[in-house]
Amino acid sequence: MWKELGCYARKAYRMNMDSLKKLHSLLLPALRDEFDIKERSRGKTPNGNISTLLRLSAAIRFFAGGSVYDIMLSHGMGKQSVYKSVYGVVNAVNATAALAFNDNGAEFPSHEEQREIAAGFRAMSAADFDTIILTLDGMLVWTTQPAAAECELIEIGERLFHCYRKDKFGFLLMAGCDHETRFRWVDIKHPASTSDYLAWTNTDVGIELENDDSDLILPDHVIAGDNAFVENMTMATPIPGTQITDVEDAYNFYLSQVRITIERAFGILVHRWGILRRPLSMSIRKVPSIVICLMRLHNFCIDNGDSRRTPTPRSRDERHIRQRAATQRTRDDERQAAVSLDSNGIPSALVGSGHHFRDAPRGRRPRRNNNDLTPMRKMIRKVADADLRRPA
């Protein structure tokens, strides 16, 4: 099957065949445990056991946006076996320590990793910003309208999963990435109507960083976010408003040069795994685990030299993605379009869903203490000392 695909294999699997084989070797212990392949005590399995490599192949094709029916025909397995393969591979990927977001399976990068990331961002910063250890943003993970019974089980109202800004149902994915667009921190617990600010301040990391004595982040280092977040001792954001000085405008420009890395990472993720370009049609309780699996596989592809310039999907996959997207309707009863990337490689139909403060205290942007000399103010001073300006 793979030989027949030839040069189209990378379009179908979103990675080259060497990477697929390496991934299989890495996952093999977990796949064996997950599918519990044993010899039958009596008789034989009618069509033989489905190999772990074939199950992995079916799951990757599903993640890439392939139709279940195409996968059934090409892999010689039933519909139930395809879905069993998908969810089994998701469990195996998420249980494999070698595919964790950080060393030793940590939720957040260590100080040593933060130094490496800061050096990487410094190399790409025209303003010599050398204290950024992550870029942070939120993205809508598009799903079909969740069932009321499932919403009751997880104790989240059905309407909260609807994002008015994007007119889509789903989850809010919060993530931070490094200079090479690898995801290093992830949280996907909040429904799509939640603001980025509220979601961030309710994560374990966000709560810990509210404590000024926390040593989670290196001293004088920051996470770079957009205007959905608020400046503090560990967060650098653009300066809002139009009445700003030339230096502040220059700071906004050079911060954006680095901060856009997370938006590009989302673009690479969505372009590589086509199921994120259309609504996920599955139990709402399964969505977080499958998204985390896709993000781990995204990092695996980058680590193994698969270019961030992922080729366009196979034409058959593209048709299937668009057809599945068109099953959903907008408020105006128009068919939804499949998610695509803009000229900057950003999935604008999904990014920016949480850029509001409606659910923040008093429904407005919190103010910082002007007496605090934050790392962000030192970054602005660096721009001023270098006499930098936004390019004409």
Side-chain angles (χ1 to χ4, degrees), residues 16 40 111-112 143 170 174 192 209 272 297 315 334 350:
N16 61 49
R40 290 166 64 102
H111 283 190
E112 182 179 352
T143 70
M174 298 296 298
L209 293 180
R272 173 170 277 128
L297 292 176
S315 57
E334 296 179 354
L350 301 177

Side-chain angles (χ1 to χ4, degrees), residues 24 100 167 173 192 202 234 255-256 266 297 332 355 383:
H24 177 253
D167 198 11
L173 166 66
N202 279 280
T234 55
L255 179 69
S256 177
F266 285 145
L297 292 176
D332 300 325
H355 288 192
V383 171

